[in-house]
């Protein structure tokens, strides 16, 4: 039972353009959502998060949007850079601390 | 400062053998998590330690899996009688109690291959 889903295994974007990574969830009890970035042979690193009481959170080139009615969140990267090429995981939680439920990941490739 | 470290980085073992994976969290972090990533899959939660509370073992896939955290610091994940489906990258993370949720710092992982 996959509670967090990333339906696009890969995405290719031209440098300077916008990257949009999508994530859907099924559990309405989730109240916190996060994006992690992972390079090969390294552990994931935290990128940005959003509480369920908000619908948008922005940090530099990265913005996360949350649509609770649709149980959907997205990560926008503008402008995309070649160094952004990595696997991006969305994750969800329903308490402060504790386990994270991850999606399968989307591999982003930003071409120069 | 030092991040989360894990050892070994790679482990190849024969089916049926026991293995131990080690995690050294960031000093002072009271919460410690184990996840695993199988080929082509997302990260799957295994177990979570928080201070002196009873661990959340809800993600352990079978009773062949167990974990300990000694002295509130180092943790060992043990897999008994390994099976081929146990092959995965095992990731450890730690976080500082009271910090904003999400700041789990991950180690580089241990790649386990069961032949």
């Amino acid at each position: 039972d996959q509670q967090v889903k990333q339906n696009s295994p890969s995405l290719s974007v031209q440098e300077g353009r916008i990257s949009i990574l999508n994530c859907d969830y099924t559990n309405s009890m989730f109240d916190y959502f996060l994006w992690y970035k992972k390079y090969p042979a390294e552990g994931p690193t935290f990128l940005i998060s959003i509480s369920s009481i908000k619908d948008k959170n922005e940090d530099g080139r990265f913005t996360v949007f949350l649509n609770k009615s649709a149980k959907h969140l997205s990560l926008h990267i503008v402008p995309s850079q070649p160094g952004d090429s990595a696997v991006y995981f969305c994750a969800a939680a329903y308490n402060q601390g504790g386990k994270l439920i991850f999606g399968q990941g989307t591999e982003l490739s930003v071409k120069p | 400062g030092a991040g989360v470290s894990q050892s070994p980085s790679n482990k190849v073992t024969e089916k049926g053998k026991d293995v131990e994976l080690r995690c050294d969290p960031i000093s002072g972090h009271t919460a410690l998590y184990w996840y695993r990533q199988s080929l082509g899959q997302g990260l799957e939660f295994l177990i979570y330690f928080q201070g002196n509370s009873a661990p959340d073992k809800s993600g352990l896939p079978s009773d062949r899996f167990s974990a300990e955290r000694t002295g509130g610091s180092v943790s060992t994940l043990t897999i008994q009688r390994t099976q081929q489906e146990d092959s995965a990258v095992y990731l450890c993370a730690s976080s500082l109690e009271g910090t904003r949720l999400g700041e789990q710092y991950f180690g580089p992982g241990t790649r386990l291959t069961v032949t």
Side-chain angles (χ1 to χ4, degrees):
Chain A
D1 178 24
Q2 191 75 26
Q3 297 187 71
V4 179
K5 297 180 183 179
Q6 293 176 258
N7 292 318
S8 297
S10 63
L11 175 68
S12 183
V13 171
Q14 203 68 30
E15 181 179 7
R17 299 291 186 101
I18 184 171
S19 295
I20 301 176
L21 296 100
N22 293 303
C23 179
D24 297 293
Y25 61 96
T26 58
N27 191 336
S28 57
M29 298 297 291
F30 288 140
D31 59 8
Y32 211 91
F33 304 89
L34 311 95
W35 285 92
Y36 278 79
K37 175 179 179 179
K38 186 181 185 300
Y39 293 116
E42 296 182 9
T45 55
F46 171 73
L47 195 55
I48 192 168
S49 63
I50 187 166
S51 166
S52 60
I53 63 173
K54 296 186 177 181
D55 55 18
K56 177 183 174 181
N57 188 26
E58 190 172 354
D59 184 0
R61 297 186 297 115
F62 303 90
T63 303
V64 56
F65 295 92
L66 175 63
N67 182 335
K68 288 194 297 288
S69 61
K71 294 190 178 69
H72 177 84
L73 66 154
S74 61
L75 174 68
H76 292 210
I77 307 173
V78 182
S80 301
Q81 299 173 354
D84 296 329
S85 297
V87 177
Y88 289 78
F89 291 97
C90 68
Y94 37 50
N95 53 25
Q96 289 290 324
K99 64 187 179 186
L100 297 177
I101 310 300
F102 283 86
Q104 307 96 309
T106 296
E107 184 171 9
L108 173 66
S109 175
V110 180
K111 300 188 184 305
Chain B
V4 177
S5 61
Q6 293 185 245
S7 61
S9 55
N10 281 283
K11 176 72 176 179
V12 180
T13 190
E14 291 180 354
K15 178 181 173 181
K17 301 277 190 180
D18 297 351
V19 294
E20 285 190 353
L21 311 180
R22 177 186 169 105
C23 172
D24 284 86
I26 293 172
S27 178
H29 280 194
T30 60
L32 186 146
Y33 313 78
W34 283 97
Y35 298 86
R36 73 175 176 181
Q37 185 181 15
S38 302
L39 189 63
Q41 302 297 313
L43 281 75
E44 174 190 8
F45 167 77
L46 297 176
I47 188 169
Y48 158 53
F49 296 90
Q50 172 58 65
N52 295 321
S53 302
D56 176 354
K57 303 180 182 180
S58 61
L60 294 179
S62 77
D63 58 8
R64 296 186 295 105
F65 288 71
S66 63
E68 290 185 340
R69 189 177 185 193
T70 54
S73 179
V74 171
S75 178
T76 302
L77 178 70
T78 301
I79 309 173
Q80 296 178 311
R81 305 181 302 282
T82 52
Q83 303 294 311
Q84 288 186 328
E85 61 263 28
D86 299 335
S87 296
V89 176
Y90 288 81
L91 290 153
C92 174
S94 70
S95 68
L96 180 63
E97 183 179 13
T99 57
R100 184 165 48 93
L101 176 68
E103 293 184 359
Q104 293 185 20
Y105 295 85
F106 282 82
T110 293
R111 181 175 297 277
L112 175 66
T113 303
V114 182
T115 62

